[in-house]
Amino acid sequence: MSSQFGFIDIILLAMFAGFIILRLRNILGRKTGHQGKPLSGYFPKGMEVLKDIENNEAIKSGNIDEEVKKQFLKGAEIAYETILTSFSKGDKENLKTLLTEKMQNNFSSAIEDRKAKKIKSELTFVGIKSSAIENFEKTAEALYFTVKFVSEIISVKKDKDNKVVEGDPNKIRTVIDHWKFTKKISSPNPNWYLAEIKSS
């Protein structure tokens, strides 16, 4: 008799365990093949975004859905702040990983001009109020995203005597920029680079 009751106990425990597993699946949900893959980072080394092959292929085909836009903007916002602060500090090495060759030359010339005039740039990045993708372009060679940024900064320039010659250290300015990012279609490198800047 005891062995019979032991067998029944095992069946009851198995049924109870099965019930718990089903309840957990209903409460927590389960992963399906249609769920998007998480992106591991946004522009961590340069403009690296969309490491996921499916998302890269989606952009190449022009299939830009809201999730892809959302992920791209996260990376673009980080790049935007990094480029502004690096330029203010005169950090040309960091800028190399974020800019096209043409933009590298433009930024480098501006930094060298500042040095020659012994002008020190100071920038406090307050934050981004908004960002939005304004345009997507695809040519035979490259992909382009144009992003509108509305940000708040405190920016001043000082001469060799530490006297303010431009800007106000106590005033927050609202800045509107339109930045175009690019990536070569043929390149296996997932990085995106800043190719053009327009200010409103």
Side-chain angles (χ1 to χ4, degrees):
M1 291 288 290
S2 60
S3 61
Q4 183 178 0
F5 282 116
F7 180 69
I8 293 173
D9 288 342
I10 292 172
I11 293 175
L12 289 174
L13 285 172
M15 291 175 63
F16 182 71
F19 173 75
I20 294 297
I21 290 171
L22 286 173
R23 288 291 295 167
L24 286 172
R25 289 179 69 180
N26 288 334
I27 293 170
L28 300 177
R30 53 182 176 175
K31 188 174 179 67
T32 70
H34 298 288
Q35 287 176 298
K37 297 179 182 178
L39 301 181
S40 58
Y42 313 111
F43 300 51
K45 295 179 181 178
M47 300 290 286
E48 189 170 338
V49 67
L50 304 173
K51 280 186 174 181
D52 187 288
I53 297 299
E54 292 178 8
N55 284 323
N56 270 309
E57 291 303 319
I59 287 181
K60 287 180 182 180
S61 67
N63 183 21
I64 315 298
D65 61 21
E66 290 305 313
E67 184 60 25
V68 171
K69 289 180 181 179
K70 181 180 176 181
Q71 298 294 346
F72 187 90
L73 284 174
K74 285 182 180 179
E77 288 180 0
I78 294 171
Y80 179 76
E81 179 179 354
T82 302
I83 290 171
L84 288 182
T85 55
S86 294
F87 175 64
S88 178
K89 294 174 183 177
D91 187 350
K92 291 192 283 186
E93 286 302 312
N94 199 29
L95 288 170
K96 278 184 182 180
T97 64
L98 299 160
L99 310 173
T100 61
E101 185 176 350
K102 179 181 177 181
M103 292 301 289
Q104 284 180 41
N105 293 334
N106 292 343
F107 274 68
S108 182
S109 295
I111 290 171
E112 291 303 318
D113 184 60
R114 254 188 355 226
K115 286 183 179 179
K117 295 177 180 177
K118 296 182 179 180
I119 298 295
K120 182 171 68 172
S121 175
E122 295 181 358
L123 182 140
T124 300
F125 191 85
V126 179
I128 294 176
K129 296 179 70 175
S130 67
S131 65
I133 293 175
E134 291 188 312
N135 192 33
F136 171 72
E137 302 171 60
K138 178 183 177 182
T139 67
E141 297 181 349
L143 306 169
Y144 299 92
F145 272 117
T146 300
V147 181
K148 178 182 178 181
F149 296 101
V150 180
S151 64
E152 291 183 327
I153 64 171
I154 300 172
S155 178
V156 296
K157 291 181 180 178
K158 297 180 180 180
D159 62 17
K160 61 181 181 179
D161 299 318
N162 214 36
K163 180 182 177 181
V164 175
V165 294
E166 185 179 317
D168 186 341
N170 301 308
K171 184 179 180 180
I172 297 176
R173 287 197 303 124
T174 297
V175 178
I176 301 175
D177 285 320
H178 306 265
W179 286 22
K180 182 182 284 189
F181 299 107
T182 187
K183 176 187 183 302
K184 290 185 178 180
I185 293 176
S186 60
S187 174
N189 190 334
N191 292 2
W192 290 74
Y193 301 92
L194 176 62
E196 185 180 322
I197 293 178
K198 291 182 180 179
S199 298
S200 297

